[in-house]
Amino acid sequence: MFILTTIQDLIQIAPPDFHKPSPQAIKDAINAKYANKVVLNIGLCICMWDLLSSSEGLIGHGTGLVNVNVEFRIAVFRPFRGEIVKGRIGHSTQEGIWVGLNFTNEVFVPFQNLFENSHFEEGERVWVWDSEGTELFFDKGETVLFRVEQEEWIDQKPGIVQKDENGNVIEERGTAWRLIGSMAQPGLGPTLWWGDQEEGEEQEGGGEQAMVGEQEVGGELEDAGEQGDGREDVDEMVVDGA
Amino acid sequence: MKIKEAQSALLSNHELLLHLRAEKAEYPDKDDKDGKDSKDSRDGNHHARKPPPGLENIFKDALTYLESQESHLPTLIATHPERPTTLYKGQHSLFRALSQKYRLNKAEYLQLYNLRPSSQVQLELIIEEAGSRFTDEQLEDILNEVSRVFDEEEGNISEGAEHVELEKMDAKMKGATKKRGARRKV
């Protein structure tokens, strides 16, 4: 769910912060710039983890700002594909369910990714899973487990002008990053459902799960598998050479 | 801004929670009006230090998420108050407990730490193709090992266990990789 990213950057410390000892001033400046912000193709930055190196402070012409070259590691929220994450149902619409994680609400589970036989209850505005006659509700505020399927990056840099269908410029900036999740495997969805009666449920969903697993094995967990893959390649090469 | 390494390491939720708590302690507590906050929460000149706004939100929201009722992390911290790294390093870590017997990959270990599965349904979510890789008894055994490692009282772990150099066993980390190749050949 969380990773560390190494970043090199030029950080500016304003004169009001000069009374702080340097490490504190640098840390505050880094956190002010990054904490709680999405960096494109990196993820949602949480907070500075540690400072790896920093240069002397340099003051340029015209301003009193101290410029410091720093290299630091930052904790970033960036779940990988296939990861199981806990969240809470925010609200539901015809299109699917929005899941919140307290610090981000940009997780969307489209209805195609819900259990089969799910339908939207217009009156109560909740999704309902019809599991062999039993109606199970995706209630608002329920703690759920979902599986990360893909992520969407939307570049929100200032120069880009977004237009709607009629050609009007959209002023409001949306999110830069959205996670697409799924809840269609036994164990996913509200944690309440999967409390104790595991025995029966397990068999019912067994086939489906195997199928889903099969399809996704290829692209999944690239990072984690990398080490092993590399090693195997080396082995093969040696054999070939001999 | 230059990204030197997009992913230098993976973090477990537990590690992040510990870090956030430590960071938060550096700043004075807002509710603590009588100024009795610790010395660390003040800067060099004894001014109260205020967290940057973005960080303040993170403290509020991320800590709520990590410490939420359903989360196992508060108990985990309670059982390992002084030396949380014993969970990750040394003879008493989850990795040492499981890698002897089972081939799991890094992502699976990470999720074992984050979700702490307590039922087989949950475990099968975390472990890819659990049904074909492990038997029911093995899955049951993994669950038992997980709860044994997490519930182990810190007091029972010998001093410095997390710093002892142990033999590397990374070959066991291959996990599903090998199996995948084998199937392709068929």
Side-chain angles (χ1 to χ4, degrees):
Chain A
M1 229 171 126
F2 299 102
I3 60 166
L4 286 182
T5 299
T6 314
I7 301 181
Q8 246 177 357
D9 200 3
L10 183 73
I11 286 291
Q12 295 187 316
I13 298 166
D17 291 335
F18 286 174
H19 65 86
K20 295 178 190 167
S22 306
Q24 285 185 2
I26 291 174
K27 187 197 271 182
D28 281 356
I30 290 175
N31 279 332
K33 182 167 177 182
Y34 287 95
N36 210 7
K37 301 213 168 75
V38 172
V39 177
L40 201 67
N41 292 326
I42 294 299
L44 173 66
C45 297
I46 303 289
C47 77
M48 190 184 99
W49 188 262
D50 55 2
L51 189 66
L52 298 178
S53 71
S54 71
S55 71
E56 294 282 317
L58 303 164
I59 301 180
H61 257 294
T63 61
L65 299 172
V66 169
N67 298 278
V68 191
N69 276 306
V70 288
E71 191 180 328
F72 59 94
R73 291 197 295 176
I74 190 163
V76 174
F77 173 65
R78 178 87 191 269
F80 50 84
R81 198 141 56 93
E83 182 163 4
I84 312 292
V85 179
K86 205 176 263 187
R88 232 172 240 280
I89 294 186
H91 65 275
S92 310
T93 63
Q94 280 285 351
E95 283 83 45
I97 300 176
W98 289 91
V99 179
L101 265 78
N102 291 90
F103 51 91
T104 174
N105 290 318
E106 299 298 341
V107 180
F108 183 59
V109 183
F111 68 92
Q112 297 94 332
N113 289 359
L114 292 175
F115 292 98
E116 263 180 56
N117 297 329
S118 297
H119 63 276
F120 187 60
E121 198 79 50
E122 197 55 62
E124 299 183 53
R125 301 201 66 76
V126 289
W127 279 87
V128 181
W129 178 35
D130 193 358
S131 163
E132 291 178 352
T134 332
E135 286 202 326
L136 296 166
F137 290 77
F138 287 92
D139 280 327
K140 193 179 166 183
E142 199 82 62
T143 307
V144 291
L145 287 177
F146 64 91
R147 183 190 165 95
V148 179
E149 294 296 344
Q150 67 184 83
E151 46 193 357
E152 270 175 22
W153 297 98
I154 305 132
D155 201 340
Q156 303 285 10
K157 69 182 165 198
I160 294 177
V161 180
Q162 290 178 333
K163 291 185 176 166
D164 60 15
E165 299 98 57
N166 307 327
N168 302 321
V169 176
I170 302 174
E171 292 291 342
E172 203 179 309
R173 296 269 159 182
T175 178
W177 182 38
R178 184 175 300 138
L179 284 175
I180 304 296
S182 78
M183 292 194 267
Q185 264 177 277
L188 295 181
T191 43
L192 276 177
W193 298 356
W194 308 98
D196 298 317
Q197 19 50 319
E198 47 183 272
E199 288 306 307
E201 308 277 20
E202 226 169 40
Q203 277 160 6
E204 166 207 323
E208 186 193 357
Q209 188 195 15
M211 210 180 71
V212 173
E214 205 96 356
Q215 284 169 350
E216 274 157 17
V217 151
E220 216 166 64
L221 308 179
E222 298 278 48
D223 285 340
E226 222 161 40
Q227 216 181 352
D229 278 329
R231 196 180 299 273
E232 274 188 354
D233 289 345
V234 170
D235 286 345
E236 273 167 26
M237 269 164 58
V238 170
V239 173
D240 287 345
Chain B
M1 182 179 74
K2 186 184 158 210
I3 309 293
K4 275 201 84 179
E5 210 179 335
Q7 184 173 333
S8 1
L10 290 166
L11 282 181
S12 72
N13 293 2
H14 173 228
E15 287 169 301
L16 185 74
L17 176 55
L18 290 174
H19 181 72
L20 282 179
R21 281 188 175 176
E23 289 291 305
K24 198 171 183 229
E26 281 189 21
Y27 301 98
D29 201 346
K30 251 204 205 146
D31 311 323
D32 191 12
K33 288 266 163 56
D34 39 346
K36 271 194 286 184
D37 40 50
S38 67
K39 214 171 134 209
D40 295 346
S41 65
R42 309 199 152 240
D43 63 23
N45 292 341
H46 306 284
H47 291 288
R49 195 168 150 222
K50 251 185 82 178
L55 191 62
E56 213 171 342
N57 291 337
I58 282 291
F59 281 155
K60 211 169 65 207
D61 300 338
L63 284 175
T64 322
Y65 176 74
L66 293 171
E67 290 170 343
S68 71
Q69 291 249 298
E70 299 86 13
S71 165
H72 67 280
L73 291 175
T75 26
L76 192 59
I77 286 179
T79 47
H80 296 80
E82 302 291 327
R83 292 151 51 215
T85 45
T86 51
L87 282 169
Y88 303 97
K89 289 192 279 185
Q91 203 59 58
H92 294 265
S93 67
L94 189 61
F95 176 62
R96 290 282 158 183
L98 289 176
S99 61
Q100 309 272 5
K101 294 182 262 180
Y102 307 108
R103 282 167 174 249
L104 298 172
N105 64 31
K106 212 172 176 176
E108 287 161 352
Y109 276 108
L110 185 72
Q111 291 184 75
L112 286 180
Y113 277 118
N114 283 349
L115 295 173
R116 197 209 155 140
S118 51
S119 67
Q120 235 181 52
V121 183
Q122 277 184 1
L123 192 64
E124 283 179 25
L125 278 178
I126 295 173
I127 298 179
E128 285 297 319
E129 297 182 72
S132 56
R133 280 165 67 193
F134 304 109
T135 64
D136 274 1
E137 291 80 49
Q138 283 176 321
L139 291 175
E140 192 62 40
D141 188 42
I142 293 179
L143 281 178
N144 292 337
E145 287 288 344
V146 168
S147 64
R148 186 183 63 78
V149 169
F150 282 157
D151 292 340
E152 190 168 20
E153 287 286 331
E154 195 181 77
N156 304 339
I157 302 171
S158 59
E159 199 71 38
E162 66 268 41
H163 301 303
V164 178
E165 284 278 326
L166 289 166
E167 218 180 307
K168 284 231 155 53
M169 8 189 351
D170 52 359
K172 296 258 182 189
M173 291 281 278
K174 277 192 222 168
T177 328
K178 197 158 187 190
K179 211 163 178 189
R180 213 150 68 201
R183 198 188 304 133
R184 235 175 257 143
K185 269 173 219 154
V186 177

